[in-house]
Amino acid sequence: MKKIIVFASGSGSNAENIIKHFAKTKIAKVVSVFTNNASAKVIERAKNHQIPIEIFSKTELLERKIVQKIEEIDPDLIVLAGFLLKFPESIIEKYPNKIINIHPALLPNYGGKGMYGMHIHRAVVENKEKETGISIHFVNEHYDEGAIIFQKSVALTVEDTPETVAEKIHGLEQKYFPEIISRLLED
């Protein structure tokens, strides 16, 4: 059975969806959830599924401590699911093409530092985009610039608000993120 580590900073709905998905398969299992936010809802979600939690500071992420924790687990895949800190190059170099992220826009549009969550959805609506979507990509040393693994778009209308865009994106994330993770682990 392959091992997945999930990094998340917020509510953890994507993390929980991945945990539930793999609990029903023989492909892999989420073995740990790492978070930089001691009050993140993802902690409660992980505990509800008996998944071990690692809570760390930004400083600890950049130091050797988190690298050592990851090495102890020896994951087959590291999944960033709403993780807002820039991932350290030391970890990226150690796990090439084994760290993926989901982004709530069609990259390269609406990517980069500060482009996450409602910031993206507001920009999409303000720019009167006809579509938006999700991008699942490998993580490299730059925000949202790693090789794209998968994209799925959704049509928008003039009635869409940032909140309705968020709902559409969330639906795509919930459906496709676990599928793409499965596909990567089966290769």
Side-chain angles (χ1 to χ4, degrees):
M1 174 125 3
K2 295 190 175 178
K3 295 181 279 189
I4 301 167
I5 295 175
V6 175
F7 276 74
S9 297
S11 80
S13 61
N14 277 320
E16 184 172 43
N17 189 42
I18 293 163
I19 290 166
K20 286 178 175 178
H21 175 85
F22 286 100
K24 296 180 269 183
T25 75
K26 289 182 173 38
I27 300 166
K29 179 181 192 301
V30 174
V31 295
S32 190
V33 170
F34 284 59
T35 185
N36 61 304
N37 180 355
S39 60
K41 193 166 188 316
V42 72
I43 296 167
E44 181 186 324
R45 291 180 192 259
K47 283 181 180 172
N48 289 340
H49 296 280
Q50 292 79 50
I51 304 294
I53 316 280
E54 281 294 332
I55 301 170
F56 58 89
S57 67
K58 185 176 182 178
T59 306
E60 289 171 321
L61 178 65
L62 300 173
E63 294 170 351
R64 184 99 183 102
K65 179 183 177 196
I66 298 305
V67 174
Q68 285 175 313
K69 297 267 184 198
I70 294 169
E71 286 172 344
E72 287 167 18
I73 294 169
D74 189 28
D76 296 282
L77 195 65
I78 298 170
V79 176
L80 311 188
F83 185 68
L84 300 181
L85 297 180
K86 190 163 190 265
F87 221 64
E89 285 185 46
S90 58
I91 301 174
I92 295 167
E93 288 168 6
K94 197 163 212 39
Y95 297 93
N97 294 326
K98 290 202 172 180
I99 306 169
I100 66 169
N101 183 38
I102 190 162
H103 188 75
L106 296 170
L107 292 172
N109 299 329
Y110 304 103
K113 187 171 173 56
M115 291 307 281
Y116 60 90
M118 291 306 283
H119 298 288
I120 294 171
H121 307 321
R122 275 189 217 96
V124 164
V125 170
E126 286 168 10
N127 291 325
K128 297 176 175 40
E129 297 287 356
K130 301 273 187 264
E131 70 174 9
T132 189
I134 59 168
S135 301
I136 299 170
H137 63 92
F138 287 110
V139 173
N140 68 11
E141 65 277 7
H142 304 290
Y143 279 112
D144 304 322
E145 291 184 16
I148 293 172
I149 301 162
F150 175 84
Q151 289 186 309
K152 186 70 177 174
S153 63
V154 62
L156 299 177
T157 68
V158 293
E159 286 85 34
D160 273 310
T161 64
E163 292 74 21
T164 62
V165 171
E167 287 173 25
K168 289 179 179 185
I169 293 299
H170 188 68
L172 293 177
E173 291 171 339
Q174 294 284 294
K175 178 173 183 184
Y176 292 104
F177 206 13
E179 284 180 22
I180 298 306
I181 294 167
S182 290
R183 213 179 297 165
L184 285 170
L185 290 171
E186 287 168 350
D187 285 348

